[in-house]
Amino acid sequence: MKDENHYLIPWYKDKLDVYHTEVLILGSGIAGLYAAIKLNPKFDVTVLTKMEIMASNTEHAQGGIAVALNNGDSPQFHYDDTINAGAGLVNKKAAMILAEKGPECVTELIQLGTKFDTNCQNQLDFAMEGAHGKHRVLHAQGDATGWEIERTLVEVVQSQNISVKENYYLVDIVKNQKQEACGTLVYNHVDKKLELWLAKAIIMATGGLGQMYKYTTNPSVATGDGIAAAYRAGAELMDMEFMQFHPTALQIPGAPSFLISEAVRGEGAILINACNERFMENIPRKELAPRDVVSRAIWEQMQTGTVFLDFSTIGKTRVEQRFPGIHKTCLEYGVDITSEPVPVGPAAHYLMGGIRTDEYGQTNIPNLYACGECACNGVHGANRLASNSLLDGLVFAATISEHITAKITEISHIDDIQTDHFITDKEQASPADIESLRKDLKELFWNKVGIIRDNAGLIEARAMLNMLKEKFEPRCYIEELELGNMLTLGSIIIMAALEREESRGAHFRRDYPKADECWQKHSVIKRGDKHVCYVSI
């Protein structure tokens, strides 16, 4: 498998059905659907989504959405907490836009029909989460916030007759002779064929890459397809070494790494080790310390025994009312959280890095935009503040829609498609066992490119990844295309992690355990680069 290829698989434009739309959106989470709603009155909008419309990370978000709408809170306070959590690497302009525009966007979300939980005074109920200084996290149905937001946006999109195509897998971005993004190559999984979709503007809202890790809270669709496709097209990727691990995922043999929301600790649940000791007692902010701090503390305790999350301080009635989904899921695996602690451990959760954009979602490729987890404008720095992810998707989808409205161009013609990087025809043998290769990759990343890293482990990971790459060349099957993308992104993450010789936020090097001011800068990698470039914050 060759990383320098512009396209993941061979294709020929004269053999494809070609479709046109003004704005093409890839992804149906909060970022993609909100962008579609904002743009729909003005443009012909088409949403292509990898699986069903509800299948995204948004649906799985439990804790809530952070926004400065509570009495005694303000965008300035929210901004300050975002900066403090980001470990010195936050884009301050982006953080201010997030905090200031957040109330407007969330208010519109409510007007669209999102039903957030209220208190006994029938006012919005705001929760506390890690590294927040105020109660500012809105939630819905206790711990089903993402599902409620996704439900609302799907209903609005369907009521507005916005075109949504399910089971369309993004393969690659195509450019015209001016090196502008002008469309995408997609695999129509229903009809089993490749298609070419041309557009005036393309918005990537394809989510993250948590499936690269053995333990992850992410759904099966999170394989980094959009980030890898953007990279092959020449887009810059930024801060790819910063993968956030959520501290508390379910740790029961045979059970998935089900997320146990940060809001649980916000309500008072405590972490205890195998000796029944509360090991966060002497750490600043205790269980509500930033996620990287809590994850590493749990990881250290796990080396000598099981770590548990104890709900007893919350009370049975409150647990059942506030966390019905978590309660139900844990019961399915034999743990009643109202009467016994549940085993927990860290799991890959959220990529702070991604496709480099400005505050308006623009990439370095004209007409190509990105928002949500696949994008990186530096708003999360090296460690995302809890419950800022949904707000990020919402706010920067809105700024993109404003920018596209002002700058939209013309749809390219099929004859204008760039052809200088097409791959020649060749017979492709069946690759090595995909399931086995994927398992090896996930194990490798968990053990060598995970919560604790070092030079020797990263070098070993790079060598092993190169061996995996040599074993196969992807064909036009989704499982193979996904693995091709994961292998490409794996090399980029390892390169960025190796070159950052410090510990900052979610990137922790045991051989460089301290943060260094010299590294207070963003990493940037572009296709063809042999080394990482850096830009100031």
Side-chain angles (χ1 to χ4, degrees), residues 279-294:
F279 57 88
M280 295 297 295
E281 184 69 42
N282 296 321
I283 295 176
R285 306 192 77 160
K286 299 181 173 60
E287 279 81 4
L288 293 181
R291 285 178 172 175
D292 64 307
V293 174
V294 182

Side-chain angles (χ1 to χ4, degrees), residues 349-371:
H349 184 59
Y350 188 92
L351 177 68
M352 270 81 71
I355 306 165
R356 186 186 181 193
T357 73
D358 63 13
E359 296 81 15
Y360 304 99
Q362 296 181 106
T363 71
N364 61 301
I365 300 176
N367 306 332
L368 182 65
Y369 298 80
C371 55

Side-chain angles (χ1 to χ4, degrees), residues 402-414:
E402 294 163 5
H403 194 271
I404 286 177
T405 299
K407 288 195 65 174
I408 199 161
T409 57
E410 296 299 320
I411 297 179
S412 293
H413 189 269
I414 184 66

